[in-house]
Amino acid sequence: MEKQIVLLPGDGIGQEVIESAKQVLEAVTERFHHTFTYHTHDIGGVAIDKHGTPLPEDTVRACQQSDAVLLGAVGGPKWDQNPSHLRPEKGLLGIRKQLGLFANLRPIKGFDQLLHASPLKHDVVAGSDLLIVRELTGGLYFGTPSERRNNGKEVVDTLSYQRDEIERIVDNAFQSARLRRKHLTSVDKANVLESSKVWREVVEEKKADYPDVEVEHLLVDAAAMKIITNPKQFDVIVTENMFGDILSDEASVLTGSLGMLPSASLREDGMGLYEPVHGSAPDIADQGVANPLATILSTALMLRHSFGLEKEAAVIEEAVEQVLEDGYCTGDLDVKGGKQVGTKEMTRLVLERVTAQDATKSIMTCYA
Ligand code: NAD
Ligand code: IPM
Ligand code: MN
């Protein structure tokens, strides 16, 4: 298989984790005889510094012509005081919008080896396995007006959706639920927000098309509580852009660290942008200690969702699992008695297992 991949390392640890992920992709493609060509472009703070904009046109064009995009992270204190249009985050929001990536899939599955690293009790997290389907190109993030008024004495943000934007993300979530345990929780704030009332209506309408999926509605405040008190009650969660942003960072505690969570942002035709859920972590940037696993796991999502390469994706996931089983961890993972390693060593350990013969055997047993 031949594919064109755009790499957008961005800022802070984005640079470090993208290098790791690229090496892992190269090892997998070599092993399975695929040819991926990589094109690196600027986004976020580095793009502001080099080109005066967080999202250069050249970057957008390259992404549009590619088969998939792998992004590190954007942002950092250097640009925090910039006006809104010159913030690194605008670049990220812009690329999601311009590519039409409305469905953000954030799978959250506790790795057994990390359960004791979670601040939650073992029997609360053990066996939890949920998927947050976050609407990504509408809602509070993109509604207009969004501005200060009256000399800064007043401010407004807008939560707006077209009904068909809600319909397509709800359909996407129902389809994901069908492939999993057939349970969908729609999260909203229908006791207050008009947009949430419509969201709930759409879910109720769509229910008829998916009679095999059990549907539940939860208010976002209660959902926030239940994700950490009873995560096993969830299979697929579908929710508005900002609710999904907040709930997914919260759910990362189930995995022991934000450094473990991958994500896929997709449009209808399967084209996708893949990125870790975490940010640029300026507090640990350039120290060689960032956990590259969320980005490495994001490449597995790319292989699965954009290219249909299930076996190759599983090899990566299996390699990550084996490294953890063998007792290796990065600083953020806080594994008792674990051997703490840096970004490069963690990457090498994953690579070793991606190329090892026995990885195939174990995958064949799992996926035959
Ligand atoms: P963050 O996710 O960057 O960091 C939160 C905490 O988690 C920090 O203590 C950090 O050291 C730790 N952490 C995150 N990823 C890690 C990893 N891979 N390995 C080890 N530790 C890790 O969130 P923040 O500090 O709130 O934001 C920092 C900057 O990142 C901001 O500018 C923010 O806008 C941006 N951000 C970008 C994205 C993105 O590009 N997708 C996502 C979130 C935040
Ligand atoms: C994420 C991030 C982004 C978001 C920011 C950096 C714009 O927090 O991907 O979760 O809010 O979507
Ligand atoms: Mn976030």
Side-chain angles (χ1 to χ4, degrees):
M1 186 179 278
E2 289 190 17
K3 294 290 177 195
Q4 306 291 324
I5 315 275
V6 166
L7 302 176
L8 304 177
D11 307 315
I13 64 167
Q15 299 281 338
E16 301 162 63
V17 295
I18 285 293
E19 178 53 34
S20 298
K22 181 185 175 207
Q23 287 177 20
V24 171
L25 264 183
E26 280 175 329
V28 174
T29 48
E30 189 175 322
R31 179 169 159 186
F32 289 92
H33 311 292
H34 302 299
T35 310
F36 287 7
T37 310
Y38 300 91
H39 310 271
T40 302
H41 288 268
D42 295 320
I43 192 167
V46 289
I48 296 172
D49 290 352
K50 279 208 234 163
H51 315 281
T53 164
L55 186 59
E57 272 174 27
D58 172 52
T59 299
V60 178
R61 208 173 312 116
C63 292
Q64 275 162 347
Q65 288 164 1
S66 73
D67 296 305
V69 181
L70 185 65
L71 183 137
V74 298
K78 182 174 178 193
W79 308 280
D80 274 352
Q81 305 314 321
N82 284 11
S84 298
H85 69 287
L86 285 180
R87 284 199 57 126
E89 292 82 356
K90 272 281 176 215
L92 179 60
L93 300 180
I95 197 69
R96 289 171 176 168
K97 188 77 172 174
Q98 294 210 33
L99 296 179
L101 306 166
F102 69 94
N104 185 215
L105 310 189
R106 298 186 159 185
I108 298 138
K109 190 173 177 193
F111 284 90
D112 286 349
Q113 304 77 10
L114 297 177
L115 287 186
H116 62 279
S118 169
L120 301 175
K121 290 197 185 99
H122 182 276
D123 47 321
V124 172
V125 257
S128 62
D129 175 4
L130 55 108
L131 172 69
I132 297 182
V133 178
R134 169 188 177 195
E135 200 293 323
L136 202 60
T137 50
L140 203 45
Y141 275 54
F142 292 96
T144 49
S146 170
E147 63 196 21
R148 290 163 199 244
R149 292 174 178 168
N150 201 5
N151 279 332
K153 291 200 192 98
E154 185 189 343
V155 62
V156 60
D157 284 306
T158 303
L159 203 175
S160 87
Y161 271 113
Q162 297 297 317
R163 203 178 179 95
D164 59 0
E165 290 177 309
I166 304 176
E167 286 168 355
R168 66 181 180 180
I169 191 72
V170 167
D171 268 322
N172 184 292
F174 266 112
Q175 283 153 17
S176 290
R178 267 198 168 152
L179 298 173
R180 295 172 46 104
R181 300 191 305 278
K182 301 189 173 48
H183 187 274
L184 180 65
T185 307
S186 173
V187 171
D188 60 38
K189 188 71 185 173
N191 52 347
V192 178
L193 301 176
E194 206 52 40
S195 54
S196 283
K197 287 177 199 150
V198 174
W199 185 283
R200 209 174 261 225
E201 277 165 33
V202 169
V203 173
E204 280 300 300
E205 279 164 27
K206 289 276 170 197
K207 213 159 88 169
D209 297 338
Y210 305 89
D212 50 330
V213 178
E214 193 188 332
V215 177
E216 155 189 50
H217 298 277
L218 267 188
L219 296 174
V220 64
D221 45 358
M225 182 270 286
K226 289 187 172 168
I227 282 175
I228 49 171
T229 52
N230 187 22
K232 276 175 272 193
Q233 86 176 68
F234 297 102
D235 176 16
V236 178
I237 292 176
V238 63
T239 193
E240 186 269 336
N241 201 343
M242 176 163 266
F243 295 160
D245 178 48
I246 297 169
L247 294 180
S248 54
D249 265 33
E250 187 200 14
S252 79
V253 299
L254 303 172
T255 67
S257 171
L258 199 48
M260 294 301 299
L261 272 198
S263 89
S265 306
L266 305 170
R267 62 181 191 210
E268 274 109 341
D269 65 3
M271 198 277 175
L273 178 149
Y274 298 82
E275 54 172 320
V277 171
H278 65 71
S280 56
D283 53 335
I284 56 160
D286 300 321
Q287 295 172 25
V289 298
N291 182 351
L293 296 179
T295 315
I296 290 174
L297 290 168
S298 299
T299 68
L301 294 184
M302 172 192 286
L303 294 172
R304 177 175 297 125
H305 290 283
S306 283
F307 307 152
L309 298 174
E310 178 57 42
K311 200 201 290 176
E312 288 83 338
V315 163
I316 295 177
E317 288 162 350
E318 181 89 349
V320 168
E321 201 159 21
Q322 282 178 9
V323 170
L324 298 171
E325 252 165 38
D326 293 343
Y328 295 101
C329 58
T330 41
D332 56 309
L333 293 178
D334 188 25
V335 173
K336 259 186 250 133
K339 288 163 262 182
Q340 198 170 307
V341 296
T343 313
K344 285 195 173 140
E345 179 60 4
M346 181 53 97
T347 308
R348 194 192 64 73
L349 290 161
V350 174
L351 283 171
E352 206 173 75
R353 285 152 184 80
V354 159
T355 40
Q357 270 321 106
D358 63 344
T360 322
K361 275 191 223 135
S362 116
I363 290 310
M364 304 295 261
T365 351
C366 292
Y367 292 88

